[in-house]
Every structure is written in structure tokens, then in C-alpha cells.
Amino acid sequence: MLDAILAAKIMEREGCPCPVAAYDTIDSTNLELKRRIAAGCALPQLVIADGQTAGRGRLGRCFESPDGSGVYFSLAFRADGSLENTTLVTTAAAVAVREAIERETGLSCGIKWVNDLYLGGKKVCGILAEAVGGCVIVGIGINITTEFSGELSEKAASLGKECSHEALAALSCAGILRFLAGKMPDMIEKYRAHSIVLGKEITYFSASEPPKRARARDIDSRGGLIVELNDGGEETLRTGEISIRMEDYK
Ligand code: BTN
């Protein structure tokens, strides 16, 4: 059973005090924070769950969140900082969660643009940021011991190490709050250092255009992915999804 008090103590110890609510199972921690924001809750606020019945992913996908084998959490905060910081929070969240996983488990995940975390060629963590009436909700799902079957098992995996769910959530969110407070000045350098796409051939998928092949060159200061197109031109990707060859995921 998740311990909200323990998670709140870790947030405080990390210099980021924040109210925490914990659930065994909930529909979605992002949805719960939307309800809490509508009811005028204090911000920032963290909601953690050990299972979700309606976990949501990017592009309207569902996010498998089986009870007890992963940790699913969302942090809401007021978007009254600079617009640049609000946009970059999705990039910063990947860095913060990566560091939390390393601190808690010793495992070093790679970052796939924009903000998926990979281990051994498979996705172990997904991040969904949503803007809601002047607030931002960053939702994070980490597969800890989840066993995937069928098609999903080719793409998704778990950390494979038991660890404190409260600590993973609290350390991740403390990292995000530190970034928002301007206390992670080297965020982009850290992101670049752990990117698994830089230097690789990618395929870029967007809603408005057919897929494009390119080579990933760099991450700019706004978290955009600078790519060299096959015709020699350069472009900076800001939204959308990319894929890289399976053997390049390592
Ligand atoms: C993705 O990879 O597409 C993003 C997945 C984000 C999942 C997390 S789990 C906690 C929070 N609640 C949700 O319903 N979604 C996010």
C-alpha cells in the first residue's frame, strides 16, 4: 500500500515540499488532478497510484497500468513561470525521472525524444504533459515489474528491480520542481548526454505530413530535435513522434 506521508517527507527532504495523495487504484492520476484543480486544490500537488483503470498516454493511447507492478503519478503546478519553462517541462521531466530511477535502482535509462525512457531497447517509462486552465499536469508511468505479453512485449519492458514506489515518484517530482525553480541549469546537457537518438537515422511522424527520414543531429535549447534531412536541409522538430531502427535502441 502506498504511503503518502513517506512520499511527502521525501519531497520535503529534497527541498520541494508538496501535498501528496496516494491511491491503491484510481482511474488516472492525471484525471484525479484535473478534478482536484477544478475543486481549487493547493498547487503544486502530487497524486500517486499503484494501479490505474483508465491510464492515458500520448496521442489518445491507453497506458497499461496494472495494479502493483508499476508506479503511476502526476504532478500539477501553476504555469505562472516563463512560457519557455512551461514548454521545456516535458523535456525536463525525462531528465528528472531518469535521475530518480538511477538514484533508486542504479539503472541508467536512455531518453528517446521527446520524453520516453528506454532500457535494453524497450520503453520502461512514459510521460504525458497536459495544460489545464493555467496549470500543467505532468503524468508519469514507470513499469517496475510489469510483465508484458503479445505485441506490447516487443516494445515495452520494466525496470526489473523492486524499489520504493514512493521514492521514485517523489524524487522524480522534486527534480521537476527544481527545474521549474531554475535549479537545473544543465538540464539540456543532461538530456543530450542520455539521448538514444542523437547521431541516428530516424523516421519522423507528424499529423500533418507523410513520414520523413532524417538523421538526428542535436537538441536545441528549447528541447527541439535538430535533424538533417536526406536532401541535406535541416529542420527542428518540436512535436510529433520519431522512430529509430530497433538495433539502435540500445
Ligand atoms: C505515453 O507514453 O504515451 C505517456 C504515458 C503517460 C502515463 C502516465 S501514468 C500516470 C499518468 N496518468 C495517466 O493516465 N497517464 C499518465
Side-chain angles (χ1 to χ4, degrees), residues 119-201:
L119 199 62
K122 295 185 181 178
K123 177 167 163 173
V124 294
C125 167
I127 300 174
L128 171 70
E130 298 183 281
V132 182
C135 302
V136 175
I137 301 174
V138 182
I140 297 155
I142 305 174
N143 310 323
I144 299 177
T145 54
T146 317
E147 291 190 11
F148 294 95
S149 58
E151 229 175 81
L152 207 49
S153 67
E154 286 162 31
K155 296 181 184 161
S158 297
L159 299 180
K161 253 192 187 181
E162 274 301 352
C163 53
S164 161
H165 296 194
E166 291 88 347
L168 270 189
L171 293 176
S172 300
C173 293
I176 295 171
L177 291 176
R178 266 200 296 277
F179 166 77
L180 290 170
K183 294 178 185 160
M184 204 197 275
D186 52 352
M187 188 276 286
I188 290 288
E189 285 71 33
K190 288 176 165 178
Y191 184 100
R192 283 192 189 111
H194 295 287
S195 166
I196 58 168
V197 308
L198 294 182
K200 308 266 168 69
E201 286 291 334

Side-chain angles (χ1 to χ4, degrees), residues 12 20 52 67 139 175 181 223 235:
E12 196 161 345
V20 179
Q52 299 183 121
D67 284 356
E235 199 175 310

Side-chain angles (χ1 to χ4, degrees), residues 29-248:
T29 53
N30 272 33
L31 287 176
E32 174 59 19
L33 272 171
K34 284 185 190 171
R35 293 188 284 265
R36 285 173 179 250
I37 290 168
C41 72
L43 292 173
Q45 181 147 165
L46 168 60
V47 171
I48 317 179
D50 253 347
Q52 299 183 121
T53 54
R56 295 167 337 114
R58 294 174 62 218
L59 306 173
R61 296 178 188 132
C62 75
F63 188 81
E64 278 211 23
S65 317
D67 284 356
S69 66
V71 64
Y72 317 98
F73 54 97
S74 303
L75 176 73
F77 55 88
R78 226 173 285 287
D80 55 3
S82 75
L83 180 65
E84 193 182 15
N85 262 4
T86 306
T87 323
L88 261 182
V89 78
T90 163
T91 308
V95 174
V97 180
R98 208 206 77 81
E99 288 188 345
I101 292 174
E102 192 157 46
R103 252 173 93 176
E104 246 335 88
T105 66
L107 296 168
S108 178
C109 294
I111 305 173
K112 176 172 168 274
W113 190 81
V114 181
N115 57 14
D116 290 334
L117 296 187
Y118 273 68
L119 199 62
K122 295 185 181 178
K123 177 167 163 173
V124 294
C125 167
I127 300 174
L128 171 70
E130 298 183 281
V132 182
C135 302
V136 175
I137 301 174
V138 182
I140 297 155
I142 305 174
N143 310 323
I144 299 177
T145 54
T146 317
E147 291 190 11
F148 294 95
S149 58
E151 229 175 81
L152 207 49
S153 67
E154 286 162 31
K155 296 181 184 161
S158 297
L159 299 180
K161 253 192 187 181
E162 274 301 352
C163 53
S164 161
H165 296 194
E166 291 88 347
L168 270 189
L171 293 176
S172 300
C173 293
I176 295 171
L177 291 176
R178 266 200 296 277
F179 166 77
L180 290 170
K183 294 178 185 160
M184 204 197 275
D186 52 352
M187 188 276 286
I188 290 288
E189 285 71 33
K190 288 176 165 178
Y191 184 100
R192 283 192 189 111
H194 295 287
S195 166
I196 58 168
V197 308
L198 294 182
K200 308 266 168 69
E201 286 291 334
I202 63 148
T203 306
Y204 170 57
F205 303 90
S206 78
S208 51
E209 294 168 88
K212 275 191 219 168
R213 301 297 305 276
R215 180 171 287 272
R217 282 276 176 238
D218 201 0
I219 304 292
D220 75 4
S221 61
R222 293 163 56 205
L225 180 65
I226 303 172
V227 299
E228 188 183 299
L229 301 168
N230 286 351
D231 65 6
E234 201 174 84
E235 199 175 310
T236 302
L237 311 180
R238 304 241 163 250
T239 55
E241 285 221 309
I242 59 164
S243 74
I244 58 179
R245 287 182 315 167
M246 215 48 209
E247 56 269 35
D248 283 341

